[in-house]
Amino acid sequence: MTRQVSITRTIPASAPEIFALLTDPEKHAILDGSGTVRGARGGNPERLELGSRFAMDMKLGAKYRITNKVVEFDQDRLIAWRHFNGHRWRWELAPNDDGTTDVTETFDWAPARIPMLLDRSPIPRKNEAAIRKTLERLASHFGER
């Protein structure tokens, strides 16, 4: 069983420009298409790297705080983070010759502590819709209408 949802979109920016945005926790709320990320908590690193921990203020019905850890990192190409339940969000960047970048965002619940719970929930479908919105917001941030 596939336990991930991925969507790719061409973004009108270079991979280093996009990566700089993704590695800045203060910017995550402006990209979030789910509407759950409210802002970065104090004490986060300015730039994420492998092993970085960063906390976000969230709201899904009730307000809460989540701490993530960067578990994959390849400068200007790949960053992924997970939180306590183990599922991860991955961003892969593939530069194009025309200065644009193909960006793939993936929600992967295979490494979750109890992936079967997510299999039977609406979360994967909701995350697929949120990923589409996030990539739209990323494109808009860099000038695509």
Side-chain angles (χ1 to χ4, degrees), residues 36-103:
T36 60
V37 178
R38 297 298 183 210
R41 302 281 300 193
N44 286 329
E46 284 185 35
R47 293 277 171 235
L48 301 176
E49 57 188 34
L50 188 62
S52 293
R53 293 184 182 276
F54 64 102
M56 306 300 288
D57 287 323
M58 309 287 288
K59 184 175 182 187
L60 182 60
K63 293 179 181 180
Y64 63 100
R65 172 187 176 185
I66 199 86
T67 300
N68 299 291
K69 180 180 180 181
V70 176
V71 293
E72 296 177 61
F73 188 93
D74 183 6
Q75 182 68 43
D76 298 334
R77 298 287 182 162
L78 170 71
I79 186 167
W81 53 80
R82 66 167 173 77
H83 62 62
F84 69 93
N85 192 40
H87 47 281
R88 62 182 69 191
W89 288 262
R90 179 182 295 112
W91 295 80
E92 297 170 89
L93 310 179
N96 298 311
D97 291 338
D98 64 358
T100 63
T101 304
D102 293 335
V103 177

Side-chain angles (χ1 to χ4, degrees), residues 6 49-50 67 107 125 131 140:
S6 293
E49 57 188 34
L50 188 62
T67 300
F107 170 65
R125 285 188 313 282
I131 289 170
S140 178

Side-chain angles (χ1 to χ4, degrees), residues 1 3 83-87 107-121 123-124:
M1 167 184 268
R3 288 189 164 132
H83 62 62
F84 69 93
N85 192 40
H87 47 281
F107 170 65
D108 181 4
W109 68 97
R113 291 176 193 249
I114 308 174
M116 292 82 59
L117 291 179
L118 291 170
D119 292 341
R120 297 166 195 229
S121 80
I123 292 172

